[in-house]
Amino acid sequence: MNGLIKLELTRALRNRKFLFFSVIYPSVLFLLIAGSADSTEKVDGTGLTLPTYMMVSMASFGALTAVLMGNSERIAKERQSGWVRQLRLTALPGRGYVLAKTASAAVVSLPSIVVVFAVAAAVKDVRLDAWQWCALTGAIWAGSLVFAALGVAIGYLANGDAVRPVTMITYFGLSILGGLWMPTTTFPAWLQDMAEWVPTHAYAALGQSIEQSQAPHAKDIVILAVFFALFTGGAAWLYRKDTLKA
């Protein structure tokens, strides 16, 4: 399995288009949204300045891009090309393939988080304590596993032709409704109520709690845990179903 992880990492790091959208693109969006914002203006209901708020949102968005977009399309195309079928003829267990995909995506997601943090600190003078930087990195990186599991599920749900539109709809829907592109306080009241139950909203809320020097809300942790169980369960079921078809 270690060999497959190394292969997946090499392929991901050679894909310049993927690296741009997962590592550079979130930082560019951060600058577009928060670049001209007043560094003292607070986002309603959070006590955080817009640059500080958007830093966590864009770091979460970058990690989401790396694990969701990377996993879903690659798995669907490998199924279509017969690569997954060939791997089943080796000694690699099925869970090893899924773990290799998840691990490689998680490694690639780390630079996207760090680059957004570096840009926010250098350009918008975002300052936090050392423990907060470490806790933010760990929380956003660990939380991305929820969406890595979703990427695996979509990769087994959709074929090579349909996987991109399915992934894009899911990707943009989670990003926008979860408040990664704009604070949910700008939404209508009914949409704010809906957004509170979206996993990306709970994902970003973990980082915002750390920025506020507060413990994460139990509701956000439960939401992420429930969605992680649903996504991993769905991925496992779809993988077994795909194995039986083969």
Side-chain angles (χ1 to χ4, degrees):
M1 187 176 71
N2 291 336
L4 183 59
I5 292 176
K6 292 179 181 178
L7 174 62
E8 292 296 330
L9 281 174
T10 301
R11 292 172 61 188
L13 294 174
R14 286 179 178 175
N15 189 334
R16 295 180 182 179
K17 183 178 179 181
F18 174 71
L19 287 177
F20 172 79
F21 281 103
S22 61
V23 178
I24 306 301
Y25 182 52
S27 298
V28 173
L29 277 183
F30 170 80
L31 292 175
L32 290 174
I33 297 171
S36 59
D38 185 351
S39 296
T40 61
E41 182 182 353
K42 300 293 180 68
V43 177
D44 291 342
T46 67
L48 300 173
T49 64
L50 183 62
T52 305
Y53 180 95
M54 291 308 302
M55 181 184 75
V56 163
S57 295
M58 286 298 106
S60 302
F61 175 69
L64 172 68
T65 302
V67 299
L68 180 59
M69 300 292 287
N71 269 344
S72 58
E73 293 194 28
R74 196 172 295 123
I75 290 173
K77 290 177 180 177
E78 289 178 357
R79 287 173 54 226
Q80 190 175 44
S81 68
W83 172 244
V84 176
R85 190 179 300 111
Q86 291 295 322
L87 286 177
R88 290 195 183 114
L89 300 177
T90 69
L92 179 72
R95 66 180 180 277
Y97 173 78
V98 175
L99 286 174
K101 290 292 185 184
T102 303
S104 61
V107 171
V108 174
S109 72
L110 184 58
S112 66
I113 299 169
V114 175
V115 169
V116 171
F117 287 173
V119 170
V123 178
K124 297 303 294 182
D125 198 33
V126 174
R127 294 291 180 263
L128 298 172
D129 293 337
W131 73 267
Q132 290 175 303
W133 289 116
C134 294
L136 277 175
T137 303
I140 296 174
W141 196 18
S144 69
L145 294 178
V146 176
F147 306 100
L150 175 59
V152 174
I154 293 176
Y156 279 102
L157 176 66
N159 59 32
D161 295 326
V163 66
R164 176 159 294 186
V166 171
T167 303
M168 294 300 286
I169 291 171
T170 304
Y171 170 66
F172 285 113
L174 288 174
S175 299
I176 296 171
L177 189 56
L180 300 187
W181 285 10
M182 65 188 74
T184 55
T185 52
T186 63
F187 294 173
W190 65 270
L191 194 55
Q192 290 185 41
D193 294 338
M194 183 186 299
E196 289 183 1
W197 300 97
V198 175
T200 39
H201 182 275
Y203 181 37
L206 292 182
Q208 291 157 12
S209 296
I210 293 171
E211 288 181 319
Q212 295 167 325
S213 299
Q214 298 176 358
H217 294 104
K219 176 183 175 182
D220 295 324
I221 295 175
V222 170
I223 288 174
L224 288 173
V226 169
F227 274 100
F228 181 68
L230 289 174
F231 294 154
T232 52
W237 180 78
L238 290 166
Y239 175 81
R240 288 194 297 268
K241 182 180 178 182
D242 190 68
T243 302
L244 293 175
K245 286 169 59 178

